[in-house]
Amino acid sequence: MSLVLTLASRNLFHDRLRFVATMVGIVFSVVLVMIQMGLFLGFGRMVTTMIDHASADLWILPKGAKCFEDPSLLDVKLRDRVATMEGVSWAVPLVIGFSDWRLERGEVTPVFIVSADLRDGSLQPFNVVDGNVQTLTQGANVAVDRSYFDRLGVSGVGSTAEIRGRKVRVVAVTDGIRSFATTPYVFVDLKNARNYTGTPRDRASSVLVRLKTDADREKALSAIRAQVGDAEVLTSEDFRSRSRSFWLFGTGAGAALFAGALLGVIVGTVIVAQTLYSSTKDHLNEFATLRAMGSSNAYIYTVIIYQALINAVIGFAIAAGIGSIVVQMTAKSALPIVITPWLMAALFALTVVMCVASGIGAIIRVVRIDPATVFMR
Amino acid sequence: MNDHVVEARSVEKKLGRGAGEVHALRGIDLALRRGELTLLMGPSGSGKTTLLLVLGCMLTPSSGSVTVCGTPTADADKEALARIRREHVGFVFQSYHLFPTLTATQNVQLALDIRGEHGRRAAQKARDALVMVGLEQKVDSLPGGLSGGEQQRVAIARALVANPSVVLADEPTGALDGKNGQSIMRILADTAHERERAVLVVTHDPRVVPYADRIVEIEDGLIVQERTDRPRMPTAVPFRA
């Protein structure tokens, strides 16, 4: 094995204080980027959680609807027209909207009503941990997530409260259906959803469509689009993408997260560049000696690049450890940080690029070394 | 066959520019021969180190020519000069210039590493070179744990390990006491005579004269005297600190 790695690691570890400073810079930078991007991913997942869990292939939406929570309404007759079309398995109206939840102790808190269709299974409460969702249709029953028990003033199945002055009973409890807007989702049946949100009988927020397994999807999509007039027909993937795009970029939230990540990259690059440069400057005499001995510039660059890579690997390992702790700590929070293997791989690549790019200043300094200087010292 | 390993012909070297320009070498003709230890002597500012740098391919002459093992240096760029140094020249510096974080073996091995020789074989060669200079007990020591004389011996092992055709030493005894100075000069003399290398020692230390086969004196950038009638190498210790 070449001595390059040995030389690079000794150069780095020789000055422990500087090495620690470098590590702090890299870890700070990578953790900051990791959290920002993890929030971005978490946010991106959260804003599409209902779309992800609906078993629909297509969504018929009011023209220009930007996301699942969009309050626009469309004519529910579209549902009847589409349901009988060739290739369509079922079409179900969905009603959503904000409402008021009055706790037994009298406080009022806003909730987000989602109509569940239990017959066709278009969008139902998921991750059910207690109770029976089938009973949602049997009166003024609701399903809530246990993470909102305190907010809603309930303790589980059997608890009661009021929505818009109507008494409701919790019949099912879910786990992990969190709302990014912190307004709890409350699942009810379609009829109750209309009552709680004030949606007229001839209106719906959207229509969910499931295609038959043997249907020609493109053909069915074109045919449905021709039938719905002003309304829009989106595939689940398109609707997911539109929702993400609206919440992440339309609101500026994504830009803020990216700006934070960019800041992290800049801070990390500057710190690593500064410490690598100063380390190189301290070892200039050694690099000049190498040059005097006849080493090629490439050999010296390799030493510096290896220093950068060692920084990157150790810094990233520490940051990844911190990142995994943060992920665990936020798993049950309103906005969990999501770190996927791809994000991890991308962050590692970014760390390597950041550290190697930081070595450019040091390399430029080394290029100017005059090997003759070793005879003057 | 020509025994000249390094040949300088009509070498001139100007350093600096404008009003600060110095004519450091003013037409030097010098050949370094295989199996010969040459001393380059002269007062401070005479051009000794500049000549060493030109002969060692650190600098190119302003005019005239230098060839190292038949390769002219005149038109060589920095990388080409580095390649000539790597292939043919071993350097010994007054301040040793060892890498403080590497062991003696690793310091010597570095000279092989930059030539693309890696691994156990290179490490063994490095240890053998250290044994040759009498440092078999210090192969794993860091430079900080070695005396000045020992450090210079590591530096000589480093200069010799890749079997260069020429060894250029700049004041190798300058920072050493008498005993260590003698030891270093003996190694350099052996390198010239037993290993058939051309060795040039730049010095202003008269105590090293008995080890020379030839003495070249330089003044104001000109060779003013060249002689071979040096005193015989003594058997007793000539150095006294």
Side-chain angles (χ1 to χ4, degrees):
Chain A
M1 198 178 85
S2 171
L3 279 178
V4 169
L5 186 60
T6 309
L7 190 56
S9 57
R10 300 275 171 86
N11 279 357
L12 276 183
F13 303 143
H14 184 59
D15 187 339
R16 287 181 192 158
L17 193 61
R18 179 163 47 210
F19 179 68
V20 169
T22 310
M23 283 302 111
V24 168
I26 295 172
V27 169
F28 170 79
S29 165
V30 176
V31 167
L32 181 57
V33 176
M34 193 180 280
I35 287 175
Q36 295 295 104
M37 296 317 295
L39 281 172
F40 183 84
L41 285 185
F43 193 49
R45 277 191 186 178
M46 212 157 201
V47 296
T48 63
T49 186
M50 289 297 171
I51 304 169
D52 294 339
H53 286 90
S55 54
D57 294 314
L58 305 174
W59 291 71
I60 302 174
L61 302 159
K63 190 169 179 62
K66 293 178 175 60
C67 59
F68 177 81
E69 292 79 9
D70 195 296
S72 316
L73 296 172
L74 48 66
D75 189 342
V76 82
K77 283 179 191 156
L78 287 178
R79 181 260 164 202
D80 301 330
R81 247 184 275 161
V82 170
T84 56
M85 290 180 66
E86 191 183 339
V88 173
S89 175
W90 50 253
V92 174
L94 177 77
V95 170
I96 50 117
F98 286 95
S99 193
D100 298 331
W101 175 284
R102 182 179 292 277
L103 286 64
E104 281 199 327
R105 56 180 183 263
E107 292 168 31
V108 175
T109 187
V111 292
F112 195 85
I113 303 293
V114 178
S115 72
D117 187 289
L118 301 173
R119 287 164 303 174
D120 290 316
S122 61
L123 179 56
Q124 297 182 8
F126 44 93
N127 298 343
V128 177
V129 293
D130 195 13
N132 180 3
V133 292
Q134 296 302 323
T135 56
L136 279 179
T137 55
Q138 298 165 13
N141 294 336
V142 299
V144 297
D145 195 87
R146 66 178 171 192
S147 55
Y148 293 115
F149 276 2
D150 281 350
R151 177 91 72 84
L152 299 174
V154 296
S155 56
V157 171
S159 296
T160 58
E162 279 182 14
I163 301 180
R164 281 209 170 179
R166 295 174 175 88
K167 188 164 185 178
V168 295
R169 194 166 68 93
V170 175
V171 295
V173 174
T174 61
D175 179 42
I177 306 183
R178 303 289 304 247
S179 159
F180 69 92
T182 74
T183 309
Y185 287 121
V186 174
F187 287 90
V188 299
D189 85 338
L190 180 62
K191 187 180 153 196
N192 288 328
R194 291 188 191 286
N195 292 333
Y196 300 150
T197 58
T199 307
R201 286 189 173 281
D202 61 343
R203 297 273 145 183
S205 306
S206 56
V207 174
L208 280 65
V209 179
R210 179 78 173 181
L211 299 175
K212 289 177 181 166
T213 48
D214 59 350
D216 181 331
R217 303 175 78 81
E218 288 304 313
K219 203 171 155 188
L221 183 59
S222 302
I224 293 169
R225 277 185 175 143
Q227 285 293 317
V228 298
D230 274 352
E232 285 188 277
V233 185
L234 299 181
T235 63
S236 293
E237 189 47 50
D238 288 343
F239 190 30
R240 202 175 285 133
S241 169
R242 182 184 285 190
S243 294
R244 274 200 196 116
S245 174
F246 170 70
W247 285 114
L248 291 172
F249 301 108
T251 63
L257 292 171
F258 269 114
L262 184 64
L263 186 70
V265 173
I266 292 170
V267 168
T269 306
V270 168
I271 291 176
V272 180
Q274 203 280 329
T275 53
L276 257 185
Y277 184 83
S278 115
S279 162
T280 303
K281 220 173 154 193
D282 280 0
H283 292 96
L284 269 186
N285 190 41
E286 290 167 27
F287 289 124
T289 303
L290 274 177
R291 199 75 176 121
M293 286 162 62
S295 117
S296 63
N297 269 333
Y299 186 91
I300 294 173
Y301 300 160
T302 310
V303 174
I304 294 171
I305 298 290
Y306 270 45
Q307 284 182 226
L309 289 176
I310 293 169
N311 278 335
V313 169
I314 297 176
F316 180 79
I318 297 170
I322 293 172
S324 65
I325 293 169
V326 172
V327 167
Q328 285 171 15
M329 285 170 62
T330 63
K332 298 285 180 188
S333 71
L335 184 49
I337 291 168
V338 175
I339 298 177
T340 62
W342 279 110
L343 176 60
M344 225 34 161
L347 280 173
F348 180 65
L350 178 74
T351 312
V352 169
V353 169
M354 183 176 81
C355 289
V356 171
S358 304
I360 290 172
I363 285 174
I364 290 171
R365 181 68 187 87
V366 161
V367 167
R368 298 203 302 256
I369 286 181
D370 179 0
T373 56
V374 293
F375 289 91
M376 315 302 172
R377 298 173 193 199
Chain B
M1 189 183 146
N2 190 350
D3 269 353
H4 296 176
V5 178
V6 178
E7 254 186 310
R9 288 181 188 276
S10 309
V11 166
E12 297 204 13
K13 183 66 186 176
K14 292 173 183 169
L15 300 172
R17 282 181 187 174
E21 185 179 274
V22 176
H23 208 157
L25 301 177
R26 300 164 180 268
I28 298 281
D29 289 297
L30 180 67
L32 301 181
R33 291 185 280 264
R34 204 178 297 279
E36 187 178 73
L37 190 152
T38 305
L39 285 189
L40 181 60
M41 303 186 78
S44 293
S46 59
K48 298 189 300 290
T49 301
T50 304
L51 181 57
L52 179 87
L53 293 174
V54 170
L55 297 176
C57 304
M58 301 272 191
L59 297 176
T60 49
S62 304
S63 67
S65 69
V66 173
T67 56
V68 178
C69 295
T71 308
T73 67
D75 298 324
D77 61 17
K78 285 183 178 178
E79 280 300 293
L81 288 174
R83 190 169 57 248
I84 296 171
R85 292 198 294 273
R86 192 159 65 234
E87 289 172 357
H88 302 296
V89 186
F91 284 103
V92 179
F93 311 105
Q94 180 179 4
S95 311
Y96 328 130
H97 291 303
L98 299 179
F99 290 68
T101 57
L102 299 181
T103 65
T105 302
Q106 288 169 330
N107 263 288
V108 177
Q109 203 180 332
L110 209 50
L112 298 170
D113 210 56
I114 61 170
R115 290 165 170 85
E117 285 189 55
H118 314 298
R120 287 182 186 172
R121 209 170 146 212
Q124 188 54 50
K125 270 189 175 180
R127 278 191 291 272
D128 290 346
L130 286 169
V131 171
M132 189 185 74
V133 296
L135 286 179
E136 55 272 23
Q137 304 297 322
K138 304 283 186 175
V139 290
D140 293 323
S141 300
L142 291 170
L146 300 174
S147 68
E150 289 169 333
Q151 289 189 54
Q152 192 59 296
R153 280 193 273 167
V154 174
I156 291 174
R158 181 175 67 184
L160 298 180
V161 70
N163 249 341
S165 305
V166 57
V167 175
L168 303 178
D170 183 35
E171 302 277 8
T173 61
L176 301 179
D177 61 21
K179 189 179 172 188
N180 278 308
Q182 179 196 26
S183 163
I184 294 304
M185 285 311 298
R186 275 194 193 285
I187 293 169
L188 290 172
D190 288 348
T191 300
H193 303 142
E194 291 174 20
R195 295 164 67 95
E196 286 285 300
R197 305 292 158 205
V199 177
L200 176 72
V201 176
V202 169
T203 186
H204 56 248
D205 182 352
R207 296 175 302 177
V208 306
V209 169
Y211 294 90
D213 299 303
R214 183 162 60 125
I215 297 166
V216 176
E217 287 185 29
I218 184 171
E219 256 183 63
D220 294 330
L222 283 168
I223 292 176
V224 292
Q225 194 176 21
E226 193 173 334
R227 55 194 167 95
T228 54
D229 58 336
R230 81 313 187 231
R232 288 180 63 80
M233 193 187 304
T235 49
V237 176
F239 278 86
R240 289 286 179 267

